[in-house]
Amino acid sequence: MAVTIRDVARVSGVHVSTVSRAFSAPHLVNPETRVRVLAVADDLGYRPNRAARALTTGRTHNLGLIVADIANPFFPPLIKAAQAQARLRDYHVFVADTDEDPKVEEELIQTLTKQVDGVLLCSPRLTNRTIERLRQEVPFVLVNRRVKGMATVLMDVGRGARLAVEHLTGLGHRRLALVTGPSGSWTSKEMQEAAAAMSEVDVAFLGPNPPTEQGGRAAAAEVIASGATGVLAYNDLVAIGLIEGLAERGVHVPGDISVIGVDDIVAGRLGRPKLTTIAMPTATAGRIAVDMLLQSVDSEVATGVTMLETALIIRESTGEAHS
């Protein structure tokens, strides 16, 4: 005969409801008790019926995680951290990729609504109005996008951009270029505002651009035409592509132009020159976003903003300006 929840409760010496909470709401169970219950369940071969539990509790114990481009190395650390944090609370995560297309993003949200208890939107490309409308159907937490009144996890790219500009001006650069990302990107907006506030430098804003290596390579001619000796790129992929595009045109980094990226992806540390970059705490953002979303799912409406600190990592792609 199949092992039941009552069997687990009897062998564990606890009430059936405690076994249920050990699987469905582990944060409500004493850690030692939960470990004992799960060990007994494993020994007996008990597996909770998720479909039946969803019918009785109204919870699927699934979360949606929607990213702008799963091929972008910025997202995998966030995804892995979010999945690990969700598993601690007995939740599964469905990951979906919008390919930077807001129409696909809206369709994915509408599709997931009936299958998940909440959705993490990472670097969404939808308008604020659309996000506000869709949130009526399922709890949201945003990552790297600010919408008034919504729970949000932000990485302080504005601070990072200021550190980057200060680093370049300290090396003698006075004419800079900011190679921005997609239209409507919160990260681009924050970088532009930070750079524009630095009165001691002249900044050319070049964009919008695809947030890819190809986008960076395509921006090389415009960077050269701008006369900039220092460049802050939307992300590391754009920075790497830009360095390649400049090299194809006989412009050397950092000898002729200094380049700074954003994200601190592995590829930036392996190339030559090694990329100076703004490190983003993506894994921490993933864990915090899951906690905020589950707080909202538990009817404790989460509307706060968590701002995570960024850091400038100086490597080989920046150097002194040459007149």
Side-chain angles (χ1 to χ4, degrees):
M1 294 179 63
V3 177
T4 69
I5 192 172
R6 294 184 182 279
D7 296 324
V8 177
R10 176 177 50 79
V11 176
S12 302
V14 299
H15 195 274
V16 169
S17 62
T18 302
V19 178
S20 177
R21 284 195 296 271
F23 284 97
S24 63
H27 58 294
L28 299 178
V29 180
N30 179 283
E32 292 182 2
T33 302
R34 180 172 187 262
V35 169
R36 184 171 77 255
V37 168
L38 295 183
V40 169
D42 189 55
D43 288 343
L44 296 179
Y46 171 74
R47 296 291 181 272
N49 186 322
R50 285 180 170 268
R53 182 170 41 165
L55 289 174
T56 58
T57 66
R59 300 279 182 83
T60 66
H61 275 253
N62 297 321
L63 302 176
L65 196 166
I66 299 177
V67 299
D69 180 7
I70 203 167
N72 185 329
F74 169 82
F75 291 109
L78 187 152
I79 293 170
K80 287 183 69 66
Q83 288 179 325
Q85 191 72 5
R87 278 196 295 269
L88 293 176
R89 301 281 292 274
D90 194 33
Y91 272 79
H92 292 166
V93 176
F94 297 159
V95 179
D97 172 20
T98 71
D99 201 25
E100 299 283 351
D101 188 332
K103 291 183 179 179
V104 172
E105 190 168 39
E106 183 172 0
E107 291 170 0
L108 283 170
I109 293 170
Q110 291 171 333
T111 299
L112 285 171
T113 294
K114 304 302 181 183
Q115 304 176 51
V116 300
D117 297 328
V119 174
L120 300 175
L121 277 181
C122 302
S123 302
R125 306 306 184 206
L126 292 169
T127 65
N128 286 6
R129 180 175 296 180
T130 302
I131 291 173
E132 289 168 345
R133 172 172 56 81
L134 292 171
R135 72 177 292 202
Q136 305 304 317
E137 302 178 26
V138 66
F140 278 178
V141 168
L142 305 180
V143 178
N144 266 14
R145 175 67 175 272
R146 188 183 292 234
V147 177
K148 186 177 180 180
M150 293 191 63
T152 306
V153 181
L154 302 174
M155 288 167 263
D156 197 353
V157 70
R159 174 181 183 272
R162 289 189 293 275
L163 292 174
V165 172
E166 289 170 359
H167 173 58
L168 291 171
T169 58
L171 293 170
H173 298 275
R174 293 295 178 267
R175 174 67 174 169
L176 307 181
L178 174 60
V179 180
T180 62
S183 178
S185 163
W186 175 83
T187 296
S188 279
K189 178 176 176 289
E190 289 293 298
M191 293 170 70
Q192 288 180 48
E193 290 180 355
M198 308 292 279
S199 59
E200 66 271 26
V201 291
D202 182 17
V203 183
F205 299 102
L206 310 179
N209 300 281
T212 61
E213 187 177 347
Q214 293 76 15
R217 184 183 285 109
E222 196 173 5
V223 167
I224 294 171
S226 74
T229 62
V231 180
L232 175 57
Y234 174 77
N235 64 18
D236 284 352
L237 288 179
V238 171
I240 290 168
L242 175 61
I243 291 172
E244 294 169 351
L246 292 173
E248 291 167 359
R249 292 165 172 79
V251 178
H252 301 288
V253 174
D256 299 315
I257 294 179
S258 289
V259 175
I260 299 178
V262 176
D263 291 344
D264 192 25
I265 65 173
V266 172
R269 307 169 213 162
L270 300 179
R272 293 294 182 273
K274 293 181 179 180
L275 188 64
T276 295
T277 186
I278 301 166
M280 304 282 271
T282 50
T284 301
R287 288 189 291 269
I288 292 175
V290 166
D291 286 342
M292 292 177 73
L293 184 57
L294 292 181
Q295 179 186 353
S296 182
V297 169
D298 289 339
S299 298
E300 301 173 20
V301 179
T303 58
V305 176
T306 297
M307 181 73 78
L308 302 178
E309 190 170 292
T310 55
L312 178 67
I313 309 297
I314 300 172
R315 298 196 179 101
E316 301 170 350
S317 64
T318 49
E320 292 185 1
H322 299 288
S323 57

